[in-house]
Amino acid sequence: MKLEQQYQALYQAYAEQRPAQPGLAELCALWNCSERNARLQLAKMRERGWLAWEPGRGRGRKSRLSLLCAPEQLEWQRQQQLLRDGKLEQAFARLSAQRRAQLLAALPQYLGSAAQGRCLRIPIPHPPLSLDPLHVSGRLESHLVRQIFDRLCRFDRGLQSLQGGLAHHWESDAAARRWRFWLRPGLQFHDGTPLQSDAAAVSLLRLREAGNPYQVQYRHLRAVDIHDPLSFSCQLDDGDFLWPQRLATANSSIAPLRRGADFERLPVGSGPFRVSRHSEQRLGLTAFAHHYRERALLDEIELWFIPNCDDGQDFHLRLDYANDGSDGTLQSACTYLLLNPDWAGSERAPLMRWLAEPALVQPNDPLQTPALGLLPGWRHPLPQAQRRPRLERARLRLFHYDLPSFPPLAAAIRQRLAGLSIELEIHALSRRAFFHDQDWWPQADLMLCSEVLHDDRDYSCHEWLGTRQPLQRGLDAATQARLNAQLRDIQRQPDTSLRMAGYAAIGDWLCAEGWVLPLSHERQGHQASPRLAGLQMSENGWTDFASLWLRPEQSG
């Protein structure tokens, strides 16, 4: 019988007696053990602070037993010890919903102290929706995929240029319709299988599948021709000088030929970390010793799923919105507002103008700044609408997902609409419901969205404007066709500066016609322990895990 079970039996038998006076023989009968074993168990329980025990000495003197912990306290102590040991799954097993919530709230205090050696534990607000590169679209999932998988090309933030990844060289014909790539020799996936041209070809052709949220970005891929195990060519139906940049995104990561049924949760890649654990409580990433560039400096990264972290908790690393803006950097792209595309232009333009001025975000807000354009530094024209909006609707519905910057903006929009005697219903959805369910969209009059670009701002703009689901939902068919035609012209342009000018021009007419209203640029901050080294924050507010390492604790 385990010690906890013995104590529970003791509590059930003697909790009502204060103090209890059982003899040693009575305890032996209760536990079905010898006197020697009973003394040992009592000593262990006393050492742990569960009880006080005074054995009776001499004729007529009875033993005295005081029970100091209720069994539920005992169970809580055991759960806490499991958390200290990093055994999350055991700690959460067989708990009621109420006790799970209580234990979840206690998780943060164990993150910093429990990480030992070259293991780093990081809190994140929710588990990833998918780790299959084909299906990822969110910032969190894209970052995790970049740690687990590799791509043919990679964008170097410091150099601000495209560099070799799995492919060490590539070239195209003059029209950028045929691209040939050469892979590095000796590449392998986490399971030891070789990474060669056949796996690259299958991964690229997968990008045309309907399940890919970025499918439209790869629809002009006609075929992939394999020349040998280390060389292949992509044939395109249209000229595309952005093609290598498309193949540096998380979505275009190279996956093995054979993928297990649980690939979305337990994928096999070739990146600096392999997935070693994925439960309801955490995701474990272990360094891949045979990574083609170099081994990660840490042995393991654990991401613990904690919905509500207190700002004051002591973590080695917390990637989150800045608390006061003092250590935050301004994110690329913005938070913006869309209307249902069924709105007539005579209603859309005046309403967007009404909401635009004055800005809904205060200039001195430490967490965000008013947006004048889709990207920081851009300034787009506002809709030309002089009259006060006249809407035949007394009630509007706004939808957004669980991003911290959205509720204050939604409240500001509600207050502004009250000036038109319009009541605003605000609906906050989960990320999964917002991006994957279709039922809510016909009910929406307004929609709050946010976009954060990755380090390659050029291709990020093309991807955002041409692919992102919320933006596409807010445009009617004619506007989508006009946008897509301009994006095709941009991809045929070999000069980066001219491509950026093209994106800015698209932003001009989208905003001037009232299709999009930029609201704010968010500041992304982080909290890091002085022990954490190698931290290099990217445009999207994340850091490459492979470069992180922990300094030793300071003694004295």
Side-chain angles (χ1 to χ4, degrees), residues 145-158:
V145 161
R146 288 180 177 277
Q147 311 307 304
I148 300 166
F149 293 86
D150 281 313
R151 289 142 296 282
L152 296 171
C153 313
R154 61 184 182 88
F155 189 84
D156 188 290
R157 181 169 179 251

Side-chain angles (χ1 to χ4, degrees), residues 188-210:
Q188 61 178 282
F189 290 104
H190 295 154
D191 60 3
T193 57
L195 193 163
Q196 296 180 335
S197 295
D198 52 355
V202 169
S203 294
L204 297 186
L205 291 172
R206 270 184 96 206
L207 293 168
R208 304 181 304 179
E209 295 180 8

Side-chain angles (χ1 to χ4, degrees), residues 295-309:
R295 186 196 185 279
L297 299 177
L298 291 170
D299 293 333
E300 190 171 6
I301 301 282
E302 285 191 349
L303 297 113
W304 290 16
F305 311 144
I306 305 177
N308 300 302
C309 277

Side-chain angles (χ1 to χ4, degrees), residues 5-51:
Q5 293 174 324
Q6 289 177 318
Y7 182 80
Q8 189 170 11
L10 202 64
Y11 195 89
Q12 290 175 347
Y14 301 107
E16 300 298 325
Q17 304 177 31
R18 298 183 181 276
Q21 295 180 312
L24 196 59
E26 191 175 335
L27 295 181
C28 292
L30 178 68
W31 290 338
N32 191 25
C33 67
S34 65
E35 287 191 7
R36 179 177 179 277
N37 188 262
R39 290 192 184 95
L40 289 174
Q41 301 303 79
L42 287 168
K44 290 179 182 178
M45 295 176 188
R46 184 166 51 191
E47 288 173 5
R48 300 185 186 191
W50 298 354
L51 54 75

Side-chain angles (χ1 to χ4, degrees), residues 42 171 216 275 291 302 340-341 408 420 431 467 486 488 503:
L42 287 168
E171 58 190 39
V216 66
V275 177
H291 189 245
E302 285 191 349
N340 192 302
L420 298 174
R431 291 169 192 256
T467 313
Q486 292 189 20
R488 283 195 294 272
Y503 303 134

Side-chain angles (χ1 to χ4, degrees), residues 383-396:
Q384 296 299 310
Q386 303 301 322
R387 65 178 177 82
R388 176 187 176 97
R390 293 177 185 153
L391 307 180
E392 297 180 0
R393 320 170 191 221
R395 181 189 297 267
L396 297 177

